[in-house]
Amino acid sequence: FNLLLLALLIYISWKSKSAILAKSELAEYRNTLSRPFSAWLVLSALSVFIFQDDLPLLVQQIILLMIWIPVVRLLPSKAFKLIGPWVYMSAVFYMLGILGYILAANQFIFRTFLLLTNFLMLATMVWLFRRSSSLPEVYNGNWLPIIKTGVALGFISIVVAIVCNIIGNVSMAEMLTQATVDSSYLALFLYTSISVLAGFLLFVFKSRAEKLSASSQHASSVIGLFVNIYKAALFIYWLVASLNMYRIWLPLSELVTEIVAYSLSIGKFSITIGSILLFPVTVYVAYWVAKTIRAILNEDVFPNMRLARGVGNSVSSILYYTIIMAGFFVALAAAGFELSQLGMIISALSVGIGFGLQTVVNNFISGLILMLERPVQPGDTIE
């Protein structure tokens, strides 16, 4: 798979040379598109961490250190201006961490070495924080406050590590130091992989949109969807990995599991807090999927097909309501509702419809009849 991926990246890089010059939006990903081997190394390393999570810690550190050069080569210029000093110092701290394993046999030398490393990290963080505060206004986007928050948390972590080292808790000091370095370097590595995916997707879909029959209107939204899902997945992976580095994930996950599994009972009716949280999320996902599919059908697919007037609107609207209703029942099932509990809910809805929602339901059913029989079609003039 990795060999096929390398061939694909080389082919896309070769085809994108002229597109980079023609499209300004691709210029931001010039580094990514023009360096397929570095992009391949980053994606291959990412697959190793995802599918082989049982690797020894030292092996993981060596792999991350080996791909430092590809990460630097692929980092977007704007991101490089934001975190430039840390890009270079992260490799230095990583090598110092590996060197610390060698010096761990002598307690005094190791504590002194760790203390000097911590002071060097504090100086770098102060430099990075002052540098980010003086950047031009153009860089004050979403990433700048995130970076400042991360630097502040890292600063606190290293200060605590210095205190622990001085009072004799060397294991705590070593854990905090290594976790800060590993977490920040992992964030840099994952951010670079996001840039790789975004650059290649942007070229494959958006620059070729005119050759696709149904992607001209929503190419950007489709690309944004993939990239946002990828960002969310990598952020969750980074958060879990970072909490695990700080030895927080295990007790936190146990606490969250207990809270989510907590059951609320009223007579025979029982539901967990996790089910309550899962229900609105599932309904929202169903609504978003239905809305996106309807927009793509109405604006991209049906205009390119020879259909009778009104057929496309009827099909997309009926599909929209079908997906929402299916999503609603899936959400109920995912929330753990039983058939008897669904009967109670349907009975309550029936009472509400009978008293106050008759007009709304009548209009909805009438609309479905109009869409199915199509006696009145979009574009007709009614006098």
Side-chain angles (χ1 to χ4, degrees), residues 98-372:
I98 295 176
L99 181 60
Y101 284 109
I102 302 175
L103 301 176
N106 190 309
Q107 186 76 356
F108 176 76
I109 295 178
F110 176 70
R111 291 180 63 179
T112 305
F113 176 80
L114 188 60
L115 198 61
L116 294 176
T117 302
N118 288 337
F119 280 116
L120 181 61
M121 292 177 67
L122 288 181
T124 306
M125 290 179 184
V126 171
W127 179 26
L128 182 62
F129 191 83
R130 293 183 62 181
R131 187 176 182 274
S132 63
S133 301
S134 61
L135 287 174
E137 194 69 23
V138 68
Y139 300 113
N140 285 338
N142 295 329
W143 287 107
L144 194 56
I146 294 176
I147 292 174
K148 289 183 177 180
T149 303
V151 172
L153 293 176
F155 187 89
I156 295 173
S157 177
I158 297 303
V159 169
V160 175
I162 292 175
V163 174
C164 291
N165 194 350
I166 293 174
I167 65 177
N169 194 343
V170 183
S171 60
M172 175 68 77
E174 179 189 6
M175 184 272 292
L176 290 173
T177 303
Q178 197 61 47
T180 303
V181 175
D182 292 349
S183 178
S184 60
Y185 191 85
L186 182 62
L188 180 66
F189 163 60
L190 295 179
Y191 176 79
T192 305
S193 69
I194 292 173
S195 176
V196 170
L197 179 72
F200 281 97
L201 278 180
L202 188 65
F203 170 75
V204 170
F205 289 100
K206 197 165 186 178
S207 66
R208 301 293 179 178
E210 62 274 7
K211 295 186 178 181
L212 301 175
S213 60
S215 63
S216 58
Q217 296 291 330
H218 291 85
S220 298
S221 61
V222 171
I223 295 170
L225 170 64
F226 279 114
V227 174
N228 288 334
I229 293 176
Y230 188 59
K231 285 181 180 179
L234 290 188
F235 176 77
I236 294 173
Y237 174 78
W238 172 83
L239 183 62
V240 172
S242 298
L243 292 175
N244 194 37
M245 293 171 188
Y246 284 100
R247 307 296 187 265
I248 301 175
W249 171 248
L250 185 58
L252 182 62
S253 62
E254 293 176 353
L255 177 62
V256 171
T257 302
E258 292 179 3
I259 294 175
V260 169
Y262 183 77
S263 178
L264 303 174
S265 300
I266 303 176
K268 294 183 178 180
F269 182 79
S270 178
I271 190 172
T272 63
I273 295 180
S275 301
I276 297 175
L277 297 176
L278 185 61
F279 178 78
V281 174
T282 308
V283 171
Y284 175 77
V285 170
Y287 165 74
W288 184 89
V289 170
K291 183 180 67 172
T292 303
I293 291 177
R294 183 169 68 170
I296 293 176
L297 290 176
N298 285 336
E299 299 179 22
D300 292 334
V301 177
F302 291 146
N304 297 318
M305 300 174 64
R306 294 182 178 179
L307 298 174
R309 185 161 52 94
V311 172
N313 179 72
S314 299
V315 172
S316 62
S317 298
I318 293 174
L319 185 61
Y320 171 79
Y321 292 120
T322 302
I323 294 176
I324 288 182
M325 291 300 296
F328 177 75
F329 286 107
V330 169
L332 290 176
F337 285 94
E338 298 178 358
L339 292 178
S340 59
Q341 298 170 344
L342 290 179
M344 296 171 56
I345 295 175
I346 294 174
S347 301
L349 289 176
S350 301
V351 174
I353 291 172
F355 279 104
L357 298 176
Q358 291 184 20
T359 304
V360 174
V361 175
N362 286 338
N363 290 337
F364 179 73
I365 299 301
S366 300
L368 292 178
I369 294 173
L370 288 174
M371 285 189 296
L372 289 172

Side-chain angles (χ1 to χ4, degrees), residues 42-99:
V42 170
L43 294 179
S44 298
L46 180 63
S47 66
V48 169
F49 283 103
I50 292 176
F51 297 111
Q52 293 180 309
D53 55 354
D54 57 342
L55 288 174
L57 179 61
L58 186 60
V59 176
Q60 296 181 20
Q61 291 177 336
I62 293 175
I63 292 176
L64 287 175
L65 189 61
M66 288 174 59
I67 64 169
W68 178 79
I69 293 179
V71 166
V72 173
R73 286 172 57 84
L74 295 173
L75 200 64
S77 57
K78 184 176 290 189
F80 195 85
K81 292 179 181 179
L82 278 174
I83 54 175
W86 192 260
V87 173
Y88 297 108
M89 295 304 296
S90 60
V92 175
F93 294 137
Y94 231 84
M95 288 186 288
L96 290 177
I98 295 176
L99 181 60

